[in-house]
Amino acid sequence: MSLTEEQFTVSLSVNGTTRPVTVPARRLLSDAIRHDLELTGTHVGCEHGVCGACTVLLDGAPVRSCLMFAVQAEGHEITTVEGLADADGRLHPVQEAFRDCHGLQCGFCTPGFLTTIAAALEEYEPGARISEEEAREIVGGNLCRCTGYQNIVKAVGRAQEIRTERAAHTTDDAATPADR
Amino acid sequence: MKPPPFGYAAPSSLEEALAVLAELGHDAKVLAGGQSLIPLLSMRLTAPHTLVDINRIPGLADISVTADGSVVVGALVRHAELLADESARSAHPLLRRATGQVAHPAIRNRGTTCGSVAHADPSGEMTAILAITGGSVQVASAGGGHRDVSAADFFLGPLESSLRPDELALSVRFGAPGERTGSAFLELSRRRGDYAMCGAAVLVTLDEDAAVSDVRAAYLSVGPVPEVHDLSAAVAGQPYASADWVAAGALAASLVEPEGDLHASADYRRRLVAVLTERALPRAAADAVARTQRAASCH
Ligand SMILES: Cc1cc2nc3c(=O)[nH]c(=O)nc-3n(C[C@H](O)[C@H](O)[C@H](O)COP(=O)(O)OP(=O)(O)OC[C@H]3O[C@@H](n4cnc5c(N)ncnc54)[C@H](O)[C@@H]3O)c2cc1C
Ligand code: FES
Ligand code: FES
């Protein structure tokens, strides 16, 4: 990287915290997240959009962070895998489901699956069932070299069960903060 | 890999963007969704001097359905937005079916329909749909320059369009399916969401007696540009329920000249053209019947 390259100062809003980074235009959002913000939960596999490991949420919708430049992210809200759990450390339903279903082995692909599935769950009301076909469609754009996918597909259904359980729990006890 | 260094302009108005493109000419490249351009940069297959990021320009994200049923898609409409748009979905089922086959949801959230057309990839779904519907691209350049380029004149070769370096595609218009016309879209890829080894978009028009009158097909991944073939000769005049679709598939296979690559040999692609055609045509004919009945019950 040449030191003469023009630098841009960008406010990146990640997991609810806004921080400035100074980067050349060609800095991939994935690299800005990992190197400049030191949030290394977002993984980088192929760097051309195919593997899904780098998936983050841009204003709630999954996108490949390796297919965006950091300079393009100003004004958008980014959520990485570090932002999925509650502030008090309670895991997101999809994280708990991956633990329950043994949805990961080496874990390299996991952050991309978690963000992708977390966004997809929002399209279902708690209580609605996600069919296996739908679960496969949800994770179809992410690659995993270890698990053979079966447990990941199961984890999608399990995550929805956990959301449903938590929603029922919140209605029982109105004092508990609303589920995410 | 990482993209090479480039200059970066993020104009906040159309006029400004067109002025930058006019000034830089061949040195500039438009950045829309980046879902094709950024991989090319990262693989170091292209090294433009300056990227002109159009994402901050207002007014380019509209979808509209014209009086004749064409769907006009602005330059910043993402594939996912087009897919979710109710009016476009009901006006243009073929466009909806094909858009659902473009890549994966995460790519569709960012990639633009217009960028897909501008990229002129003969493996892309949108290029084939633009071609078979007789659509066009609305193009602007600095100083009020404006032209409407038909699909037939737009695609010059693989990843090559007739867009000039100082031009921006403002929108693409997908032509309306005509009366008594049904459509179908089928493709085969190694994994769901991958580029298709072969795909077929077909339109079947029936006459008033439910006999086949016109059959057209456009294919993905079989030629340097999206080709539209007239297959009417194989089935014209036959009642749709007993038409010889296999003959139409064979005719299609004789008209294409696919090339082989890592994903599929030329012979296999030709075979896929025949099979996808013979499967898609009866669906399109049934769709034509259903549409005609619906149109009749509306009067
Ligand atoms: C893993 C993966 C799988 C994919 N699978 C498919 C698939 O199955 N089918 C498919 O069709 N596509 C697929 N794509 C590509 C995707 O559809 C892109 O969205 C699309 O090809 C380009 O749109 P874009 O907005 O991202 O354009 P960009 O990447 O920003 O630009 C692409 C090219 O078009 C030019 N351009 C873009 N917009 C304009 C404009 N308004 N005016 C002038 N020039 C313009 C750019 O200068 C550049 O040369 C895939 C991509 C990935 C990463
Ligand atoms: S690293 Fe971004 S998709 Fe593979
Ligand atoms: S758990 Fe190892 S790649 Fe998915």
Side-chain angles (χ1 to χ4, degrees), chain B residues 179-242:
Chain B
E179 264 182 54
R180 292 192 302 275
T181 300
S183 63
F185 184 84
L186 287 178
E187 69 172 45
L188 200 75
S189 52
R190 292 246 174 226
R191 291 165 307 188
R192 199 177 158 83
D194 282 5
Y195 281 102
M197 292 183 286
C198 180
V202 302
L203 291 176
V204 172
T205 306
L206 304 178
D207 66 18
E208 270 150 19
D209 304 318
V212 179
S213 69
D214 190 59
V215 176
R216 271 173 299 147
Y219 298 96
L220 279 67
S221 304
V222 298
V225 293
E227 298 165 24
V228 182
H229 294 288
D230 187 341
L231 307 178
S232 309
V235 279
Q238 300 176 7
Y240 85 91
S242 58

Side-chain angles (χ1 to χ4, degrees), chain A residues 103-110 113 143-147 152:
Chain A
L104 64 146
Q105 290 179 21
C106 80
F108 192 86
C109 66
T110 313
F113 275 98
L143 296 180
C144 171
R145 300 298 288 170
C146 303
T147 63
I152 294 177

